[in-house]
Structure formats: structure tokens, C-alpha cells
Amino acid sequence: MTPIQQRIAIDRARTLALWMLGVGGIATVLTALQAALSPPDPLRWAMCALWVVLGVLGVIRLLAARRRRVAFEAEHGRDAGRQEPIRRA
């Protein structure tokens, strides 16, 4: 795999982790509010727990992507795999 492809893969993993963290966090808050304001229902709290798990997995994947990027940059250099945007005159 070329450095460009490696960097793209690392960035894609980081983006997915951020989405997981964001969706998990927002959904946790909304589900917890709904569960707290409605009659007791264990299913709602279970759903809240699932959203918490998604958020935690997002954090784990974000840290893994960061470790991969640090290792990649240590091996290939800080700017390895970066692409310059095409500028039209």
C-alpha cells in the first residue's frame, strides 16, 4: 500500500470513529432524557446502554487511529502521503 493510500485509510478510520462518538453521544443523551421523562421501561435503558457502547467504541477507534497515524508519520515522515490540491489558473 502506498503512503497516500495508508494516509487515506487512517483518515477514513478517524472519521468513522468521530461519527461513532458523535452519534453515540447525542443518542445517549436523547435516549436517557426520554427514558427519564417517560414511565419506567427497561428497554429504553437498554437502548441507552447500547448508545453508550457505540460512543465508547468510537473513543477506542479514535485512539487506535491516532496511534496508527503517529506510527505512520514516525516511519514515513510528517507529510508522507499528503496530496496537494489542484489549483487551476
Side-chain angles (χ1 to χ4, degrees), residues 33-85:
L33 282 173
Q34 183 184 21
L37 298 176
S38 63
D41 184 8
L43 186 59
R44 289 179 204 237
W45 289 109
M47 192 64 181
C48 185
L50 287 175
W51 289 117
V52 169
V53 168
L54 181 70
V56 169
L57 287 175
V59 169
I60 291 169
R61 290 181 66 131
L62 187 62
L63 293 174
R66 184 176 186 280
R67 280 192 302 272
R68 281 180 61 195
R69 174 176 270 173
V70 167
F72 172 78
E73 289 179 351
E75 181 179 347
H76 297 288
R78 190 172 142 240
D79 291 329
R82 289 195 190 265
Q83 293 179 317
E84 293 295 323

Side-chain angles (χ1 to χ4, degrees), residues 5-21 57-69:
Q5 292 171 324
Q6 289 177 10
R7 184 172 290 275
I8 290 171
I10 293 168
D11 288 343
R12 185 174 43 244
R14 181 180 176 273
T15 301
L16 177 62
L18 288 172
W19 272 101
M20 289 172 67
L21 180 60
L57 287 175
V59 169
I60 291 169
R61 290 181 66 131
L62 187 62
L63 293 174
R66 184 176 186 280
R67 280 192 302 272
R68 281 180 61 195
R69 174 176 270 173

